[in-house]
């Protein structure tokens, strides 16, 4: 199996996802600050989603870098992850246009949870390939970020119907956790003298 | 001829096709479940098409991986396949927005049939290149999936005007047939000690 | 300079151009043949433009394959070509939506002429790099297709205001000329024992 | 860390940004010159932005070509640059549709300034990687273009509220400065006998 082509296709899809989200920011008709104002929530949603998709790209990059071999069994878990990520522009646009109303904020969290689950399945599919386990298990360690994120997302979904601000704080918190770059894998690779 | 660039270009086009389909899911104006409801058929169409385009990418990946050489005569059969696939977003959107009305469902099947025929022509163009035949013929075997799929598609097109549910079941059946990964080529390559 | 990255970027832009043109085919609201009818001219424009952009990709592929070295001086001629090609979706959509009215047909030809000129400039920029001239001059030969195409385009632009059908026949004729794959370069390379 | 994949992803995002900007040029409904007229400012904005994004791609190409190693710490500065560039289609569309009204012209400049700052941060992140400094410092020299550009942008933003033409002249001036290809790095590499 061809790791390069899997990476190239994933890069393509993620690049398109991260870029077409900006199309949800419709060009306003007026030319003053008033015309720009209703775009603020859309812009903030865009920033949040850009960071989230950026995190997935970084982690995908690190994960596949750490892996020596892929097999045909990885293609669908990878496409499954891309599927949920591809719903980000829709969820982002819906949340932004409705100025962070409870249901769109919760649905946005739903897309995040399902992306996080798809990510776990992809990790597992890579672990199952003989030869990958040793370095990957060590590199991922206890993977507390990967385990904590869906829990925070689920709480945020529930909180959306109580106080939308708390819910968004949850999404932002997970993004911050991951923004601290995932040096585990890089360290691991360095230790292995690569 | 440069196999890598053919793959890269195909990856690019397929990545864009699979991603812009999501743009057909228009962001609804309301913020409640009611507003989301009319999007369900569009979402289901999107899932079906995402899987179908994903299958084509996987098969394209396997097919070109199994092939040692390409020639200029492959470029147009490849573009021809991409052409029919590029109509998927249109057919998907039309089918979804009209809540699976008979004609859009049949036209969707038409795009699937023509993509399947284009796929066959691409296989043949690759077989015609000296040096490819041996491994490819063995790898594809009797290619019963490739031969059965257009037949089911054609039946589904006819069935669309009788009972739309049966027609969609046909499309789903073909997708399931292919979701079982095409291990033939991978087995073959392993046997050849690659 | 890095030939691979120039190719990858060009592939990306051309892949996007060829695919977003399909977005001009708006999903019709009705679900019968009547609703599909006004889309026919848009569809035909799309086919013509898909073939044209496909030809550029094929030729770009062959041209850069034949070239040993690129330099920084090639980047802008390449971007210049991509600029005119990027106007294809607009020109295609305008021509299709207005059912081949004279002015949009002429403007479409204008985009084709300017793309053809940009192509010539790119060829020249590649020829100017030391080491490329020998093989490229031989491979391109007298380049009668490259010289004839803009002349036919210019005639077609004038003819658009006389009889639109003749004008479109001119565009189709050029496309057919190029569809016959540009085997010159491949032959040349084979002779050079590559 | 994998330089190729960083380049591929950046190429993908930049290719999409440069191409989707053309979608802001809406296909007009009429088929005469009158219908095309209101598209002129949009077209001119598109040309300016195409050149600007093209410059960033060229410089990105040169910068990463000159660099031997990247690290995980480069991923976010790179995504940060892509974020500001991704706002170009919005800013371009807003400026074009409002026929170069003062505020949109100033906001466009804001996106340019922030992209320029992000570019500086990316340069710095690359300089910080051991082994890159020597060749990069020499290659960039005093980097007067990189330092002058944001200053001209800032003046242009202020000038937008005085005379829009002067402001646009500022943006065009910076573009011209950079269009003269950044041969510094190429010279440098040649001197180092690469």
């Amino acid at each position: 199996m061809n790791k390069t082509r899997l990476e190239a296709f994933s890069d393509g899809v993620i690049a398109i996802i991260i870029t077409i989200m900006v199309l949800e920011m419709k060009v306003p008709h007026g030319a003053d600050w008033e015309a720009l104002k209703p775009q603020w929530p859309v812009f903030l949603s865009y920033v949040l989603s850009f960071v989230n998709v950026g995190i997935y790209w970084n982690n995908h990059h690190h994960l596949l870098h750490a892996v020596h071999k892929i097999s045909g069994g990885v293609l669908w878990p990878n496409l499954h992850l891309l599927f949920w990520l591809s719903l980000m522009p829709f969820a982002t646009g819906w949340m932004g246009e409705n100025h962070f109303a409870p249901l769109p904020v919760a649905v946005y969290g739903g897309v995040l949870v399902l992306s996080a689950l798809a990510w776990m399945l992809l990790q597992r599919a890579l672990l199952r390939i003989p030869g990958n386990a040793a370095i990957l298990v060590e590199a991922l360690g206890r993977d507390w970020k990967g385990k904590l994120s869906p829990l925070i997302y689920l709480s945020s979904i529930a909180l959306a119907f109580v106080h939308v601000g708390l819910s968004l704080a949850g999404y932002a918190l997970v993004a911050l956790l991951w923004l601290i770059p995932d040096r585990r894998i890089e360290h691991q690779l360095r230790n292995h003298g690569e």
Side-chain angles (χ1 to χ4, degrees), chain A:
Chain A
M1 289 301 308
N2 190 341
K3 191 171 106 172
T4 313
R5 207 177 159 190
L6 183 81
E7 290 179 330
F9 182 71
S10 308
D11 282 355
V13 172
I14 297 174
I16 299 158
I17 290 169
I18 215 169
T19 322
I20 62 173
M21 281 192 303
V22 88
L23 293 177
E24 299 295 343
M25 272 171 65
K26 302 275 181 288
V27 171
H29 289 297
D32 48 10
W33 285 116
E34 279 310 304
L36 222 52
K37 244 187 204 167
Q39 299 294 328
W40 271 106
V42 186
F43 179 70
L44 291 178
S45 308
Y46 176 59
V47 174
L48 181 60
S49 294
F50 191 96
V51 171
N52 274 321
V53 178
I55 286 166
Y56 271 102
W57 181 72
N58 279 4
N59 289 348
H60 196 271
H61 184 132
H62 280 96
L63 185 65
L64 277 154
H65 192 62
V67 149
H68 288 283
K69 280 187 279 187
I70 66 161
S71 73
V74 172
L75 299 185
W76 280 105
N78 192 59
L79 273 166
H80 178 239
L81 171 65
L82 296 177
F83 175 77
W84 292 113
L85 291 180
S86 81
L87 296 180
M88 287 287 281
F90 176 83
T92 306
W94 200 37
M95 185 168 77
E97 270 196 26
N98 289 291
H99 294 200
F100 303 105
L103 183 64
V105 170
V107 165
Y108 184 81
V111 171
L112 288 175
V113 168
L114 290 161
S115 303
L117 292 177
W119 176 256
M120 281 181 182
L121 291 175
L122 176 61
Q123 277 189 342
R124 252 181 238 180
L126 286 166
L127 274 169
R128 238 176 287 131
I129 298 170
N132 284 340
I135 193 161
L136 213 54
V137 164
E138 234 182 305
L140 293 170
R142 285 173 310 155
D143 195 22
W144 63 272
K145 278 190 204 175
K147 282 169 192 153
L148 188 59
S149 304
L151 296 179
I152 303 182
Y153 287 148
L154 286 172
S155 322
S156 279
I157 292 172
L159 280 170
F161 300 100
V162 183
H163 191 293
V164 156
L166 289 175
S167 176
L168 291 170
Y171 302 152
L173 177 67
V174 176
L176 283 176
L177 281 180
W178 286 100
L179 267 178
I180 304 154
D182 201 338
R183 299 211 191 276
R184 290 173 301 172
I185 291 172
E186 248 177 296
H187 282 215
Q188 216 51 45
L189 287 175
R190 213 168 301 142
N191 294 348
H192 282 254
E194 197 186 284

